Amino acid sequence: MRCVQQTARRAGRGPLAGLALAGVLVGMLAGCNGYMPRYTTNLPGPWQRVAPSDLPVLLPPGAPVTVVAARTRAVGPVYRSYAVVLSNATALAGENRLSLDVQAVPDSLLDALVPPERPFPVPLYTGETLAATLEKEFPDMEATVADGARRNRYGDYDYAVASAVDGAGTVSTCVLAWQLLTDHARVLPQRVDAVRLEWRVCGTGGDPRPLLEPFDRLTLRLGETVLDADAAATPDRRW
Amino acid sequence: MTPTRTFLLLLAAAVAGAPSAGAQTPSGQNGGARALAPGVTVDVNPAPGSGSATAPAKIDETALRHYARTGDVERLEAEIARLRALDPAWEPPKDLFTPQAQAPGVDETPFWKLVSEGKVPQARAAIAEQRRQSPSWQPSAKLLQELDVAEDTARLRQASDARLWQEVTEIAGTRPDAVSCARLDSAWRVAEAYGELKQTDRALAIYRTLVSQCPKAGERRDTLYKASRYLSPEQVRELAALATTANPAAGEDYTVVGRAQADLETGRLLERAGSGKGGALSPDDLARLEATVRDRRDADGALTLGWYFQQRKQHRPAQEWFALSNQWAPSDRAAEGLILAHAGLGEKDKALEAAKPWRGRSPRVDKAVLAVERPAGRGGRGGDGPPPGPSPLDQALAKRDYSACLTAIQRMAAKSGMTAALAQQRGWCLIELGRPSEAEAAFAEAQALGGKTGGKTAAKGSGAAPAGKTEEEAAYGQALARLAAGDMAALAHDLPALPLSPRHRAEIRASLLAAEANRALEDKRYHDVLRLLDARKEVEPEPRNLGILRGWALYNLHRLTDAYDQFKSIDDRLSTPESREGVTITRKTIYHDWQ
């Protein structure tokens, strides 16, 4: 307990005895190793493997992709992120994946006052960041952002489509879809503040629809029931 | 050589160089300030308000005499050039170095000293205090102007450091005399701001003025380097031509500019050749590049050329360049290229010969050898016919076309079934394609297949690896895939049980410790950073990037001298923006020099 003793000696000598006493108390509470400031608990934790059956999302039966591996990590007490790597039948670079971030409603005043940094930006994309992301995700491919949104079980989402032809004449198509769920009136349970989804899948062939359909029909399981958005007709689609 | 002699020589050189600068004095208004773009001028001559070019009697020599008195050679030289530009007929006073009787009144020397040390607020405070003591005294106009310029220069620097490019250009617009050859750093920052704002015409105008007006060859060369970041190759060529011919100053050797231009050109061509972007090089460009690389015995350049030819299936020139690279500076990267080039030529024996010095010591060479050694189950050699040429898989690997590698493996597996060696190769190709989770699964499959065949995995292949080695390679691949996927915690947990060779185990452990140290820095656990890096150092020598990390951990622990020493030792070996940033910030923190 050398560190505590030193603090106590200083307390006896200096005019800031009260402050030093507080230091002693903190020292006694924390031991000789000091204490870690609260912000450290708000930083992203390490990624940990998670079994597909423990994921808060279910792919629809008959989906052309399957779960290869999944990882999760917490960002403070408010956010939990999931990275689900999906199978990829193409020879293109980059992993097929579903990214999912769940933002909980803080259950303590301190968490509400000092929230961790959100692991995704809002708006999810700007023109510039989308262009940079498409370039990174689909290098050397022609990417087009869809004019109109598409709708899945939980609401509207936006997406982009990229395609390429390799030397042997094989056509591959990729889609990137992104969605932010904030509908507390119907879709999200009270404990969940927001859910962010991103679907990045490449497949063989020139038709992007089979690549988007699993995203249209996936199911979220967040403890409490997540309701479907009203079953509106799918809006006009480009593809 | 004594300091006084050096001082006089420099003075003589400055005076000799002055007429040529003066010859370029524009005859426009504003005392010769040169319009660069709306709102921005680079003041190559007098500062506004310091006198007219046609009124030599008004030239203010206060600053000149101050610099002479304090022995500030650099500023003295710049001031002489500035005054000569202001009035070509002006000559430096002969009594410049004669001790002057102080004019009655207040001696401004202490204020000038503070200004020249960059302590502008202190200078202002000292002047205010002096005025309180001597209410009738007025500081000289030159001193006040110098204070204003110094303040604006500091603001400009701060805005530039904070990457507030618009603010930089606004300051430059209101304070054109903060941007001059005498304040080259400010001029570069303003040009950089325009470059960042994509207003390259304005950036070009500033660079053009600097390379034609600043007399020192080194300054012109450095301007060219800075400009190359924002300007097209054609514009850089134009600047280089201007820099070597415009307003030459006596005693300056402008050939350094030509050399810098050649360096930039070579760098550009090498980058183009290396990235594969921009298509094939023209025959002229290629010949020029080859001659330069050969001339300089540039091993890295030779490597780039090797890959350039290899990707174009020109295996013979590729092999020659890889061989040259290996000859000038033996490396596993050169050996890797050499192996694949020989493979492309169907010279398997030579490929394996080239691999010999590195086998078992370099993962990249081991991987290249795997590509050369025919994986089992590929069909093998049939009868006594001529040896087949390189397979599609060999060709894909030789071209580093990892998508084609996947396609070739898929075809081979469909034809003859998947083997451990094929699955392993698939894992390596998936890693190269940035698909580590699938790679991990492929390595797991290789391990399972290797175990199933009980040591006969690849026995039919001439270069087949024994089952134990296959298992070790597969485990190593799995570990690398998990590292790439960010699966650090679980990998650290599993590492002791993995069937890895001691060398591979040490490599994985070093990578894990480095990743953990990076994470600790992000979490602001600086003691942990040092603890982890020290542990890593016991496994492998510390690479440069982790040395920088160590420097920041020391800095944040307020061990400033240690941090400075750390950054400085890295910077002394190879100076990069990261190392310079560390040195500068630490030094400024130590000396409270945030002006």
Side-chain angles (χ1 to χ4, degrees):
Chain A
M1 297 300 286
R2 187 164 162 266
C3 55
V4 176
Q5 286 165 1
Q6 281 181 344
T7 313
R9 278 206 300 275
R10 277 201 298 276
R13 282 202 301 266
L16 302 172
L19 201 62
L21 185 62
V24 172
L25 288 172
V26 169
M28 286 169 71
L29 286 170
C32 279
N33 294 325
Y35 80 104
M36 292 305 287
R38 181 170 171 78
Y39 66 78
T40 54
T41 62
N42 271 349
L43 293 165
W47 286 101
Q48 290 176 326
R49 291 179 171 221
V50 57
S53 56
D54 294 335
L55 285 172
V57 64
L58 275 180
L59 295 181
V65 288
T66 55
V67 175
V68 173
R71 294 176 185 85
T72 181
R73 75 171 176 185
V75 183
V78 175
Y79 296 97
R80 180 156 284 279
S81 301
Y82 297 86
V84 184
V85 180
L86 304 167
S87 58
N88 186 344
T90 72
L92 297 171
E95 288 187 322
N96 283 353
R97 64 161 201 280
L98 167 64
S99 306
L100 178 77
D101 296 289
V102 182
Q103 179 180 355
V105 176
D107 58 4
S108 83
L109 184 60
L110 195 58
D111 292 340
L113 290 174
V114 192
E117 197 176 330
R118 193 167 44 202
F120 53 88
V122 176
L124 295 178
Y125 284 109
T126 63
E128 293 77 23
T129 58
L130 180 60
T133 302
L134 292 174
E135 174 67 29
K136 186 171 144 243
E137 291 286 347
F138 311 126
D140 305 324
M141 293 176 84
E142 282 290 319
T144 315
V145 181
D147 293 334
R150 207 174 146 101
R151 196 170 180 83
N152 65 6
R153 289 181 61 174
Y154 305 109
D156 291 346
Y157 67 84
D158 290 295
Y159 65 103
V161 175
S163 57
V165 183
D166 69 12
T170 310
V171 180
S172 300
T173 302
C174 299
V175 294
L176 178 76
W178 58 96
Q179 185 174 30
L180 183 63
L181 305 180
T182 52
D183 178 2
H184 300 100
R186 178 178 170 89
V187 176
L188 293 178
Q190 194 177 340
R191 284 180 201 276
V192 178
D193 204 9
V195 174
R196 173 251 188 185
L197 292 155
E198 187 163 284
W199 177 257
R200 186 267 191 210
V201 168
C202 293
T204 50
D207 187 359
R209 278 174 298 192
L211 305 178
L212 287 167
E213 272 162 13
F215 190 61
D216 291 347
R217 295 187 291 125
L218 58 76
T219 307
L220 290 174
R221 304 181 302 179
L222 301 176
E224 289 91 1
T225 306
V226 184
L227 291 175
D228 287 12
D230 49 356
T234 305
D236 183 36
R237 300 167 183 174
R238 181 163 174 182
W239 285 278
Chain B
M1 191 180 287
T2 63
T4 313
R5 197 169 159 209
T6 311
F7 187 9
L8 291 174
L9 282 174
L10 280 167
L11 176 62
V15 173
S20 54
Q24 287 301 308
T25 306
S27 56
Q29 294 173 350
N30 195 24
R34 192 180 186 91
L36 298 169
V40 176
T41 59
V42 168
D43 180 21
V44 293
N45 295 319
S50 65
S52 153
T54 54
K58 285 189 183 174
I59 283 181
D60 185 347
E61 294 172 355
T62 320
L64 186 75
R65 288 192 179 281
H66 165 72
Y67 296 139
R69 203 161 49 244
T70 56
D72 188 340
V73 180
E74 209 165 301
R75 284 169 189 252
L76 177 69
E77 193 181 327
E79 184 68 3
I80 288 172
R82 193 181 72 82
L83 295 177
R84 287 302 305 263
L86 176 65
D87 174 14
W90 177 81
E91 287 293 337
K94 291 194 168 53
D95 59 352
L96 196 54
F97 299 104
T98 312
Q100 299 286 304
Q102 289 296 329
V106 175
D107 177 14
E108 288 189 347
T109 306
F111 313 127
W112 279 103
K113 190 164 182 294
L114 287 169
V115 174
S116 61
E117 287 169 0
K119 296 176 179 171
V120 179
Q122 291 90 326
R124 290 254 187 228
I127 290 169
E129 175 59 23
Q130 187 63 51
R131 289 209 64 192
R132 197 181 60 76
Q133 289 174 12
S134 324
S136 61
W137 173 72
Q138 286 285 348
S140 68
K142 177 69 185 167
L143 177 59
L144 291 176
Q145 186 206 345
E146 197 65 23
L147 280 167
D148 288 345
V149 172
E151 276 171 349
D152 285 336
T153 304
R155 275 176 53 223
L156 190 149
R157 196 167 55 231
Q158 280 165 5
S160 167
D161 285 343
R163 304 176 68 80
L164 301 170
W165 307 121
Q166 196 60 47
E167 197 177 318
V168 173
T169 59
E170 282 165 15
I171 296 169
T174 57
R175 172 59 72 185
D177 45 352
V179 180
S180 64
C181 282
R183 294 182 172 83
L184 193 57
D185 179 62
S186 299
W188 282 339
R189 286 171 185 267
V190 176
E192 180 190 21
Y194 280 123
E196 293 287 341
L197 292 168
K198 310 284 180 227
Q199 298 178 25
T200 43
D201 51 340
R202 293 186 173 195
L204 175 62
I206 296 178
Y207 289 130
R208 205 180 268 153
T209 307
L210 295 178
V211 298
S212 57
Q213 299 296 336
C214 300
K216 287 185 178 173
E219 290 174 347
R220 293 187 181 192
R221 176 201 57 204
D222 294 347
T223 301
L224 201 65
Y225 280 133
K226 289 193 178 282
S228 68
R229 195 170 151 199
Y230 300 105
L231 303 183
S232 68
E234 292 72 31
Q235 288 171 323
V236 174
R237 269 197 284 271
E238 180 205 322
L239 275 188
L242 204 58
T244 43
T245 54
N247 307 321
E252 288 293 327
D253 176 12
Y254 295 112
T255 55
V256 293
V257 176
R259 284 200 294 275
Q261 157 66 4
D263 279 347
L264 286 170
E265 192 73 10
T266 305
R268 186 180 66 79
L269 290 174
L270 279 173
E271 190 185 342
R272 207 174 126 197
S275 69
K277 288 181 182 164
L281 298 177
S282 71
D284 283 350
D285 280 349
L286 193 56
R288 198 160 359 124
L289 186 58
E290 288 185 303
T292 310
V293 170
R294 224 181 270 275
D295 228 32
R296 297 181 184 175
R297 299 170 68 84
D298 176 358
D300 282 339
L303 211 52
T304 305
L305 279 167
W307 286 119
Y308 174 81
F309 285 115
Q310 182 77 356
Q311 276 158 6
R312 281 160 181 74
K313 296 185 188 175
Q314 298 175 31
H315 301 300
R316 184 55 69 197
Q319 179 265 320
E320 285 166 8
W321 281 110
F322 286 131
L324 277 177
S325 176
N326 208 30
Q327 182 190 327
W328 292 335
S331 71
D332 61 339
R333 292 185 305 149
E336 178 196 20
L338 204 49
I339 294 162
L340 296 175
H342 279 306
L345 291 164
E347 300 169 350
K348 185 176 166 185
D349 292 344
K350 287 186 183 174
L352 295 177
E353 185 65 30
K356 258 186 190 167
W358 297 97
R359 277 193 89 162
R361 286 175 51 213
S362 159
R364 63 172 68 233
V365 166
D366 289 348
K367 271 201 291 180
V369 170
L370 274 179
V372 174
E373 289 174 336
R374 182 174 299 275
R378 195 187 310 180
R381 290 173 192 157
D384 298 326
S391 72
L393 179 57
D394 291 337
Q395 286 175 11
L397 291 169
K399 281 192 289 176
R400 289 183 168 186
D401 183 347
Y402 300 107
S403 295
C405 160
L406 287 192
T407 310
I409 289 174
Q410 200 176 352
R411 287 198 185 127
M412 288 158 70
K415 202 171 158 190
S416 335
M418 185 59 90
T419 65
L422 273 181
Q424 195 164 304
Q425 185 59 64
R426 183 164 184 273
W428 291 121
C429 292
L430 283 166
I431 282 194
E432 296 290 351
L433 286 168
R435 293 163 59 171
S437 295
E438 291 163 87
E440 189 190 341
F443 287 120
E445 187 185 4
Q447 218 166 6
L449 286 167
K452 210 181 282 178
T453 49
K456 294 173 187 167
T457 316
K460 289 172 194 165
S462 56
K469 193 177 175 208
T470 305
E471 192 189 10
E472 198 277 335
E473 284 283 347
Y476 174 59
Q478 264 180 298
L480 285 184
R482 289 171 72 177
L483 271 177
D487 189 17
M488 308 294 174
L491 179 58
H493 176 266
D494 296 346
L495 185 62
L498 294 179
L500 293 170
S501 68
R503 187 173 60 82
H504 283 160
R505 189 182 305 281
E507 186 190 322
I508 299 292
R509 180 166 155 72
S511 301
L512 279 170
L513 287 168
E516 187 61 25
N518 269 299
R519 204 174 116 68
L521 191 79
E522 281 173 23
D523 289 2
K524 304 181 184 176
R525 291 182 281 116
Y526 304 115
H527 284 295
D528 272 355
V529 175
L530 298 182
R531 192 173 60 84
L532 292 159
L533 289 180
D534 286 345
R536 192 195 172 283
K537 235 178 174 177
E538 292 165 11
V539 181
E540 266 185 11
E542 190 158 274
R544 183 181 175 77
N545 61 333
L546 294 181
I548 299 268
L549 197 75
R550 180 185 289 278
W552 287 119
L554 291 166
Y555 176 89
N556 282 292
L557 288 169
H558 304 290
R559 289 168 58 182
L560 296 176
T561 312
D562 290 343
Y564 181 80
D565 290 345
Q566 174 72 10
F567 287 129
K568 189 76 173 52
S569 74
I570 293 172
D571 193 63
D572 284 348
R573 292 199 300 275
L574 175 66
S575 183
T576 62
E578 292 76 28
S579 62
R580 286 196 291 275
E581 185 188 23
V583 170
T584 308
I585 290 180
T586 314
R587 190 182 55 223
K588 284 184 172 183
T589 308
I590 291 172
Y591 296 108
H592 305 287
D593 177 23
W594 290 104
Q595 265 287 324

